[in-house]
Each structure stands twice: as structure tokens, then as C-alpha cells.
């Protein structure tokens, strides 16, 4: 029997895991008529897709080439910048971009952000604790990583709302499972406004270099291989979008998962040690992680699990399905706060392993530690959350929570 996996169905979107299990058992390399693409769900196969040179991350060029001429005019400027994101590039372009960005975004540079992340978390909670309630996504999980990225890029905090609007428009284009009538125009407008903003910021950094990542990106490499103006703008757009989107989802999904498992939350409240925090965050990444899947285009026709994947076919490798594959994980549907080993695929594999993974982990560990310490009685609202309509990003749209108001902000 064919499994009817329709990601547009709100019930499947909110809880895709039963469908994923059926696909793993009955149709692990599944041709999906709703997506007109392959859906891959087993751990070993998803890992193969992530590592395969027979697959390309450049899904934008064939998409653009397939559009009618009138539609190309709408998305041309959008594709101009998105096609320079290293996540959509194959070697050798990807190799060059990754090397230069690695020079500016080192582990030491990430660790230097720790005091600032702790300050931002403390300030947000100081403002929220007297209320006794908040929307965890809107009031905490979004502004935390967005503010961290803004500080990294050296842009003022009063741009937060503008950045959110731009990012929301890009997310609609990059990850949506549904056909919103104006999503191309919205994404184009968001990309143009964002690129115009960063063009001015980059010009200012050339005149007055600072300690921020943009200044570092301008300076890295030899004169012959430095990032072009458009590559710098694209890098700033990627840092802003990917740098907060994933971490927002990680924090909100993670707190939701832990509060749905009272024993896990009680353990973290009782012991917010670095060791337990580290394994807790890894389990949040595995159990219902912030990245639903990765998209690829078949470069070379080949077989997988007896199915022929033809050149030009689109492929969605579902990371969150792989992370609950019983062939790899014991009791995969249980949230085990100290699970070890935990070889989840959430940040990808190989050359496209997420550059921002250390920062996402750092922010999530500090956020979970301080929420467990300062809001141990946090409880979820009575309504089950809705999830973003996206195959690529996996996140809660809104998460009302309640707790005992605390008048004093003293820790």
C-alpha cells in the first residue's frame, strides 16, 4: 500500500513522525506526487544524500530556469543573492566560500560571544519575569539569536522588527510546503531591502572597520580571492537568516519537548550542570529538531533502495525522520535527556555541515540553563501549538507559557 504523505495537511505538519515511520518501513525512497519530488526518511539514506556528490544543493538554478519569462523577472534579483549562499553551492565555489567564512567565524570567535549571549538572555528574562506569562517564541526564542547575530554583524538593535519581516519573507520562499500567491514577490522585496541595507553597512565597514564579523569577512583572504561585494551581501543575509532561524526553532522546540516530558524537565531543573545541559540540547536537536530536512537535486542518475533517481529530480532528505529511525536509535520516540551516544543528523554531514552549529549549541545551552534556573515552574498553555508550514525549517509558530511572576530581577 502506498503511503499518502501530504506535508500540506495540518495534522501531518504538526506531527509528521507517524507518517515518517510508515515511510521508513514501507517506502523509504518515496516518490511524492504532492511535492513532485523524492522523500527520503531512513537514517542511512538521509546521510548518503547529505554526503553524495551525485546530488547538488543548487536547487535554485533549475527552479529559476523552469520559470516562465514573466516570473523570472520577479525573482531574478532574489536568486542573484541566494545563489551566492554557500549552502546552495557545489565545489569549487563552496570550498572557497567556506574557507573564507571559516577564517572569520572561528570556534574562538564563537566562544568570545558567551558573555554577550548571557547578558542578552539575562536582560530578556529580567523584562519577562514580572509578567507571569509570555509567548516563548515571540518574546524569547526569536529575539535572543536575532540580537546575537545583529551584534555579530554590528547592526543596531532597533532594526530587529525589519530583520524579522525580511526573514519571514525569505522563509516563505525557501521552506514553504504551500503555494502562497504572493510569496515570490514578498521574498523578492525582502531580499532587495535586505541587500540594500547591508550594502550601506558594508560600505561603512570599509571606511571604519570594527570588531564585527562583517569587518572580518571584508578583510579575509588574499586580494585575489576576497569576497566580492555581492558575496559579502549574500553572506550577511545568510548569517542573519540562518543564524537566528535555526536557533529560534531549537530553543522553542526544545523547551516544548522538555516540558512535555516532566521527568526530563525535573532533572534539568534539579541539575542544570554543563554536562546535562550539553546532552539535553543534543536530545532537543534529535527529538524534534529545528531542521526538518535538506533539499537536493539529482546530478547523476542512480539507484537508491531499488528506486531510480533521475538527473534533475528533486529530493527531500528528512532529517527529523532520520533522527527517529529505530534502526539507529534505541527507543527513538522517547525523549532521553542524557542520551549517549546521540549521532543525530540535524546539522548535516560532510562539507555542508552547519557552520553555525557551535553558536546554536551555545545559545541553546545558556537559554535552557537560565530558564530552568529562573523559571522552574514554567508551564505550557492548554492549546497544542501550530508548526510552520515548511519542509526545510521545523518550528513552532507560537508557544504561550505561564509561570509565577517575579517582581525582582535579581538572580
Amino acid at each position: 500500500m502506498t503511503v499518502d504523505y501530504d506535508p500540506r495537511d495540518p495534522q501531518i505538519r504538526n506531527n509528521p513522525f507517524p507518517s515518517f515511520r510508515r515511510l521508513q518501513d514501507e517506502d523509504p525512497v518515496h516518490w511524492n506526487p504532492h511535492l513532485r519530488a523524492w522523500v527520503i526518511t531512513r537514517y542511512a539514506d538521509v546521510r548518503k544524500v547529505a554526503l553524495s556528490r551525485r546530488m547538488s544543493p543548487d536547487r535554485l538554478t533549475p527552479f529559476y530556469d523552469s520559470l516562465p519569462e514573466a516570473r523570472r523577472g520577479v525573482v531574478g534579483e532574489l536568486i542573484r543573492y541566494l545563489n551566492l549562499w554557500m549552502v546552495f553551492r557545489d565545489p569549487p565555489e563552496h570550498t572557497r566560500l567556506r574557507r573564507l567564512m571559516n577564517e572569520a567565524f572561528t570556534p574562538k570567535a564563537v566562544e568570545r560571544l558567551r558573555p554577550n549571549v548571557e547578558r542578552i538572555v539575562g536582560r530578556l528574562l529580567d523584562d519577562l519575569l514580572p509578567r507571569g506569562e509570555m509567548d516563548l517564541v515571540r518574546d524569547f526564542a526569536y529575539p535572543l539569536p536575532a540580537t546575537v547575530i545583529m551584534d555579530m554583524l554590528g547592526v543596531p538593535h532597533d532594526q530587529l522588527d525589519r530583520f524579522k519581516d525580511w526573514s519571514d519573507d525569505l522563509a516563505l520562499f525557501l521552506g514553504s510546503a504551500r503555494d502562497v500567491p504572493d510569496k515570490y514577490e514578498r521574498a523578492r522585496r525582502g531580499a532587495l531591502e535586505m541587500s540594500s541595507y547591508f550594502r550601506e553597512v558594508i560600505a561603512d565597514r570599509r571606511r571604519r572597520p570594527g570588531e564585527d564579523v562583517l569587518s572580518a569577512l571584508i578583510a579575509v583572504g588574499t586580494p585575489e580571492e576576497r569576497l566580492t561585494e555581492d558575496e559579502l551581501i549574500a553572506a550577511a543575509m545568510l548569517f542573519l537568516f540562518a543564524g537566528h532561524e535555526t536557533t529560534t526553532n531549537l530553543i522553542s522546540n526544545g523547551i516544548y519537548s522538555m516540558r512535555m516530558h516532566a521527568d526530563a524537565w525535573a532533572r534539568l531543573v534539579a541539575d542544570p550542570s554543563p554536562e546535562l545541559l550539553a546532552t539535553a540540547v543534543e536530545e532537543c536537536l534529535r527529538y524534534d529538531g529545528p531542521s526538518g530536512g535538506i533539499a537536493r537535486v539529482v546530478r547523476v542518475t542512480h539507484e537508491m533502495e531499488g528506486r531510480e533517481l533521475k538527473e534533475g529530480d528533486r529530493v527531500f532528505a528528512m532529517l527529523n525522520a532520520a533522527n527517529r529511525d529505530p534502526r539507529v536509535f534505541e527507543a527513538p520516540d522517547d525523549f532521553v535527556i542524557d542520551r549517549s551516544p546521540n549521532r543525530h543528523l540535524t546539522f548535516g554531514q560532510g562539507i555542508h555541515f552547519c557552520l553555525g552549529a557551535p553558536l546554536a549549541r551555545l545559545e541553546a545551552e545558556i537559554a535552557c540553563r537560565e530558564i530552568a534556573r529562573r523559571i522552574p515552574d514554567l508551564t505550557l498553555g492548554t492549546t497544542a501549538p501550530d508548526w510552520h508550514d515548511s519542509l526545510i525549517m521545523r518550528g513552532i509558530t507560537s508557544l504561550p507559557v505561564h509561570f509565577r511572576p517575579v517582581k525582582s530581577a535579581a538572580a
Side-chain angles (χ1 to χ4, degrees):
M1 180 182 293
T2 302
V3 180
D4 184 20
Y5 167 65
D6 185 353
R8 301 168 302 180
D9 183 329
Q11 288 187 325
I12 290 178
R13 180 173 72 234
N14 289 346
N15 182 18
F17 297 102
S19 296
F20 287 160
R21 184 61 51 80
R22 284 195 62 198
L23 287 171
Q24 287 172 336
D25 293 342
E26 301 174 28
D27 195 7
V29 178
H30 163 74
W31 176 257
N32 189 278
H34 308 293
L35 299 170
R36 298 188 298 277
W38 296 99
V39 174
I40 315 296
T41 49
R42 286 184 184 171
Y43 183 100
D45 295 331
V46 170
R47 188 171 183 274
K48 275 182 194 173
V49 170
L51 293 170
S52 177
R53 294 298 179 92
R54 294 183 291 185
M55 305 272 192
S56 172
D58 181 11
R59 58 189 171 101
L60 299 180
T61 299
F63 162 76
Y64 180 77
D65 291 343
S66 70
L67 292 176
E69 196 65 34
R71 184 64 63 83
R72 289 188 192 181
V74 174
V75 301
E77 283 294 298
L78 171 64
I79 299 296
R80 169 187 170 186
Y81 291 107
L82 296 187
N83 249 349
L84 295 175
W85 288 14
M86 65 179 180
V87 296
F88 297 132
R89 306 309 296 156
D90 288 303
E93 293 89 350
H94 175 273
T95 307
R96 169 178 162 270
L97 292 170
R98 180 83 182 210
R99 184 178 67 252
L100 292 172
M101 291 190 188
N102 280 342
E103 290 185 36
F105 201 66
T106 64
K108 285 185 179 180
V110 171
E111 186 56 33
R112 285 198 297 269
L113 297 171
R114 180 180 293 273
N116 192 42
V117 174
E118 291 179 331
R119 280 193 297 270
I120 295 168
V121 169
R123 186 172 68 244
L124 287 170
L125 292 180
D126 286 348
D127 291 342
L128 293 167
L129 282 172
R131 300 186 192 177
E133 62 180 11
M134 64 171 157
D135 182 327
L136 187 80
V137 179
R138 182 193 64 214
D139 298 328
F140 183 80
Y142 166 71
L144 167 58
T147 304
V148 171
I149 291 295
M150 291 170 75
D151 288 346
M152 286 177 57
L153 296 174
V155 298
H157 294 175
D158 62 11
Q159 300 297 314
L160 187 66
D161 290 341
R162 292 179 72 193
F163 284 172
K164 176 160 177 52
D165 289 342
W166 295 336
S167 293
D168 286 349
D169 288 342
L170 285 181
L172 195 62
F173 173 75
L174 290 171
S176 178
R178 59 197 167 95
D179 190 15
V180 178
D182 63 342
K183 71 177 181 181
Y184 298 136
E185 174 57 31
R186 285 176 57 182
R188 183 194 71 85
R189 185 172 62 246
L192 284 178
E193 291 178 4
M194 198 185 303
S195 64
S196 177
Y197 178 83
F198 280 121
R199 192 177 297 278
E200 293 182 11
V201 174
I202 289 166
D204 179 71
R205 293 301 184 281
R206 290 191 190 279
R207 294 189 298 267
R208 298 181 299 170
E211 299 297 321
D212 53 88
V213 170
L214 271 182
S215 296
L217 286 172
I218 290 169
V220 295
T222 65
E224 293 76 23
E225 67 170 2
R226 282 181 183 155
L227 296 172
T228 67
E229 188 82 358
D230 278 357
E231 286 172 341
L232 285 167
I233 293 168
M237 293 168 65
L238 174 60
F239 276 127
L240 175 66
F241 179 79
H244 85 265
E245 193 80 28
T246 299
T247 310
T248 295
N249 293 342
L250 170 56
I251 293 169
S252 52
N253 297 8
I255 295 294
Y256 178 71
S257 295
M258 284 193 281
R259 286 308 290 122
M260 290 294 290
H261 296 83
D263 56 338
W265 181 250
R267 280 194 62 186
L268 190 66
V269 168
D271 175 30
S273 63
E275 295 77 19
L276 189 59
L277 280 162
T279 59
V281 168
E282 294 308 305
E283 184 68 344
C284 291
L285 286 161
R286 183 201 71 85
Y287 181 77
D288 202 346
S291 303
I294 57 173
R296 295 290 187 264
V297 175
V298 178
R299 296 177 64 187
V300 179
T301 299
H302 63 282
E303 283 195 0
M304 180 177 287
E305 302 285 351
R307 308 297 295 272
E308 185 179 53
L309 279 62
K310 296 180 180 178
E311 179 183 353
D313 284 353
R314 292 189 307 155
V315 176
F316 290 98
M318 307 311 293
L319 299 171
N320 275 352
N323 288 340
R324 291 212 200 176
D325 189 342
R327 296 158 189 80
V328 176
F329 298 97
E330 184 178 349
D333 295 324
D334 292 348
F335 186 90
V336 181
I337 196 171
D338 57 357
R339 184 183 293 271
S340 181
N342 193 343
R343 296 184 292 271
H344 62 76
L345 300 178
T346 300
F347 288 124
Q349 295 277 288
I351 64 172
H352 287 284
F353 186 84
C354 177
L355 182 67
L359 179 58
R361 285 181 165 119
L362 173 70
E363 293 178 73
E365 287 180 21
I366 294 172
C368 290
R369 181 192 73 200
E370 292 305 298
I371 289 177
R373 185 175 72 87
R374 300 182 65 178
I375 322 180
D377 62 333
L378 181 143
T379 58
L380 301 173
T382 56
T383 303
D386 284 326
W387 297 76
H388 287 295
D389 178 25
S390 174
L391 286 166
I392 305 302
M393 284 83 73
R394 169 75 175 164
I396 297 169
T397 60
S398 176
L399 188 63
V401 297
H402 307 274
F403 44 89
R404 179 177 55 84
V406 178
K407 294 182 180 179
S408 172

